[in-house]
């Protein structure tokens, strides 16, 4: 008996609460409509509609979305009018209203496109709404530019994200933006730039491929993507973009040296040789590529070739510090190599010192041009000064190699 009474009370309370909820929703809807009609407190009207739509029974009623769309549309038009009349100077309010309006109309369209009980979609609102929004859509692009240059990167991405989503939204299919809008790839580039500023990797991945289709900014974007993914720790993706940049923009100075260093540090000599020869085949007179080949020759122990190329480069430009280092190192290594290979030869020290004497001016010149790179030139000068009996110079190098600064550099 008591259980039946309790059940009845629960039913009665639920009914009362349901009636009160319905009554509250009616009041909220009525107030929102009144505020829209009076064109005042539209922020409150919008908030009331969001409250109504949070109710499961109301969230799929298309009339509610029509009302919300009308409210945010009026907000936008009011803001636009105030800006025109110079009654408002905050441009961000206009772009914020524009984004809300596009979102509301897209929600409305998704319900408008739902089929009825007989499987038919009547699309009562699409054409009119699409035509209206199509006129305002370029302002999303301008909004992104405005936000980006004012360093409001989250707002910039949000604005351009709505713009880019419109390319595939059914609401705008009558305009065929993929064929008619020439700003798609530039918009994607702005989206990626904004996402990069925020380290928003999901945003970057969302639009990076579309952004790379924008030819005027492709090389710069590839370099940016390399830096971003390297910072993220995604080496594979970073290097992939480095390779793409080198293949497609060999004249862009960013890609080659980093790709060269990457393979060199990994000891992948064949890869290094491949990119160097590709680079030279494309631009035979490029000094940077020739210098890279010179380094490769040194690393491959092709000392005579290294010396010949290094000297020819120095004839063209005597300020190439790395060429001095390469030639000097090649001579130094040849001397060491000769000494080790001729242990039974009494004259090996004389011959070795003759080769050291050839290496010395190159390494001394390198030292004068790169005084802070002690760990590169000091060990060679130490050996050569010792073998060539240059006591004063040897003592100086010995002091340098015993110094705290040299030891600290060597640990790095």
């Amino acid at each position: 008996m008591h259980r039946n009474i309790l059940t009845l009370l629960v039913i009665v309370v639920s009914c009362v609460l349901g009636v009160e909820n319905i009554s509250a929703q009616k009041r909220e809807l009525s107030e929102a409509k009144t505020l829209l009609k009076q064109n005042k407190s539209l922020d409150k009207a919008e908030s009331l509609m969001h409250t109504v739509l949070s109710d499961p029974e109301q969230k799929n009623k298309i009339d509610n979305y029509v009302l919300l769309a009308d409210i945010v549309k009026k907000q936008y038009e009011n803001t636009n009018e105030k800006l025109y009349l110079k009654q408002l100077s905050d441009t961000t309010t206009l772009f914020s209203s524009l984004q809300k309006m596009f979102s509301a109309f897209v929600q409305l369209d998704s319900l408008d496109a739902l089929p009825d009980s007989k499987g038919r979609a009547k699309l009562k609102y699409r054409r009119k709404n699409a035509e209206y929004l199509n006129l305002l859509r370029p302002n999303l692009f301008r909004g992104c530019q405005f936000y980006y240059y004012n360093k409001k990167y989250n707002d910039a991405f949000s604005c351009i994200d709505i713009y880019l989503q419109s390319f595939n939204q059914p609401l705008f299919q009558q305009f065929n933006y993929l064929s008619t809008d020439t700003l798609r790839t530039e918009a994607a580039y702005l989206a990626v730039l904004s996402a990069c500023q925020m380290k928003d990797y999901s945003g970057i991945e969302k639009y990076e491929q579309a952004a790379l289709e924008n030819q005027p900014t492709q090389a710069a974007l590839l370099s940016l993507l390399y830096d971003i993914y390297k910072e993220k720790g995604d080496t594979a993706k970073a290097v992939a973009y480095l390779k793409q940049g080198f293949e497609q923009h060999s004249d862009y100075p960013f890609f080659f040296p980093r790709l060269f260093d990457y393979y060199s540090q990994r000891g992948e000599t064949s890869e290094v040789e491949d990119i160097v020869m590709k680079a030279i085949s494309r631009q035979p007179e490029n000094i940077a590529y020739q210098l890279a080949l010179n380094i490769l020759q040194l690393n491959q122990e092709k000392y005579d070739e290294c010396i010949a190329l290094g000297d020819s480069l120095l004839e063209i430009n005597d300020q190439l510090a790395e060429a001095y280092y390469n030639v000097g190192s090649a001579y130094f290594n040849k001397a060491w190599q000769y000494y080790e290979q001729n242990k039974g030869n009494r004259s090996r020290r004389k011959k070795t010192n003759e080769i050291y004497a050839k290496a010395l001016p190159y390494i001394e010149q390198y030292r004068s041009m790169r005084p802070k790179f002690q760990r590169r030139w000091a060990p060679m000068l130490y050996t050569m000064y010792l073998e060539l009996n240059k006591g004063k110079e040897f003592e100086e190098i010995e002091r340098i190699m015993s110094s705290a600064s040299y030891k600290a550099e060597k640990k790095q």
Side-chain angles (χ1 to χ4, degrees), residues 65-338:
Y65 287 93
V66 171
L67 180 55
L68 174 61
D70 287 341
I71 290 169
V72 294
K73 177 182 176 182
K74 195 62 178 176
Q75 285 177 330
Y76 175 81
E77 290 174 344
N78 287 348
T79 303
N80 197 32
E81 182 180 1
K82 288 179 181 178
L83 284 169
Y84 179 76
L85 296 174
K86 301 187 184 317
Q87 296 174 355
L88 184 69
S89 59
D90 185 8
T91 311
T92 59
T93 306
L94 179 71
F95 296 130
S96 176
S97 297
L98 183 63
Q99 291 178 69
K100 287 194 299 182
M101 185 170 62
F102 267 78
S103 297
F105 275 100
V106 168
Q107 288 179 308
L108 169 58
D109 186 71
S110 65
L111 286 180
D112 190 27
L114 290 177
D116 59 19
S117 58
K118 295 182 179 180
R120 299 170 300 183
K122 296 181 180 180
L123 295 173
K124 181 179 178 181
Y125 301 98
R126 175 174 292 180
R127 178 171 291 278
K128 180 186 69 173
N129 291 344
E131 288 175 351
Y132 176 75
L133 293 179
N134 179 59
L135 297 173
L136 303 176
R137 182 172 166 272
N139 288 339
L140 289 169
F141 191 95
R142 299 185 189 101
C144 173
Q145 292 176 315
F146 172 83
Y147 284 130
Y148 186 84
Y149 293 120
N150 284 279
K151 299 183 178 181
K152 296 181 178 181
Y153 303 117
N154 186 56
D155 292 326
F157 183 85
S158 176
C159 213
I160 208 66
D161 187 38
I162 295 172
Y163 181 91
L164 286 163
Q165 287 181 45
S166 67
F167 280 87
N168 297 307
Q169 280 167 343
L171 174 59
F172 300 103
Q173 65 183 7
Q174 62 181 295
F175 301 109
N176 194 17
Y177 289 141
L178 286 171
S179 298
T180 60
D181 189 335
T182 60
L183 294 177
R184 182 181 69 88
T185 58
E186 188 176 345
Y189 177 63
L190 283 172
V192 173
L193 287 183
S194 302
C196 284
Q197 291 289 346
M198 300 183 291
K199 301 294 188 295
D200 176 8
Y201 294 104
S202 63
I204 295 169
E205 291 173 355
K206 187 174 183 180
Y207 292 118
E208 60 189 303
Q209 293 307 313
L212 285 170
E213 294 176 27
N214 192 50
Q215 292 299 320
T217 58
Q218 188 184 75
L221 181 57
L222 284 166
S223 63
L224 176 61
L225 290 172
Y226 164 76
D227 285 335
I228 284 292
Y229 282 110
K230 183 182 178 184
E231 183 179 343
K232 184 185 178 185
D234 190 341
T235 303
K237 200 163 186 179
V239 173
Y241 280 128
L242 207 56
K243 287 181 180 179
Q244 185 179 345
F246 173 67
E247 290 296 332
Q248 297 177 358
H249 302 277
S250 58
D251 58 335
Y252 198 81
F254 181 90
F255 306 108
F256 176 80
R258 287 164 179 79
L259 202 56
F260 181 90
D261 288 344
Y262 171 75
Y263 286 125
S264 296
Q265 290 170 10
R266 290 168 60 91
E268 297 183 26
T269 307
S270 61
E271 294 290 347
V272 174
E273 186 171 11
D274 181 57
I275 65 166
V276 168
M277 299 317 295
K278 278 184 180 179
I280 291 176
S281 69
R282 294 168 185 168
Q283 297 182 43
E285 305 302 321
N286 188 304
I287 295 295
Y289 296 161
Q290 292 287 340
L291 193 57
L293 176 59
N294 198 221
I295 296 170
L296 179 62
Q297 290 169 337
L298 177 63
N299 294 338
Q300 292 179 328
E301 300 183 8
K302 297 178 179 179
Y303 299 132
D304 290 334
E305 294 178 28
C306 177
I307 292 167
L309 178 57
D311 280 337
S312 69
L313 291 173
L314 289 170
E315 287 180 8
I316 298 170
N317 183 351
D318 62 1
Q319 297 303 306
L320 297 174
E322 200 65 29
Y324 286 108
Y325 178 82
N326 294 339
V327 176
S329 297
Y331 275 124
F332 181 89
N333 292 345
K334 280 189 70 173
W336 183 261
Q337 193 178 73
Y338 180 85

Side-chain angles (χ1 to χ4, degrees), residues 3-35:
R3 183 178 298 175
N4 291 336
I5 293 173
L6 181 60
T7 301
L8 182 61
L9 283 172
V10 169
I11 293 172
V12 170
V13 170
S14 298
C15 290
V16 170
L17 291 175
V19 170
E20 289 181 352
N21 187 43
I22 293 171
S23 178
Q25 289 167 0
K26 286 182 177 179
R27 287 196 303 270
E28 289 163 345
L29 284 168
S30 177
E31 185 177 0
K33 289 176 183 177
T34 300
L35 292 173

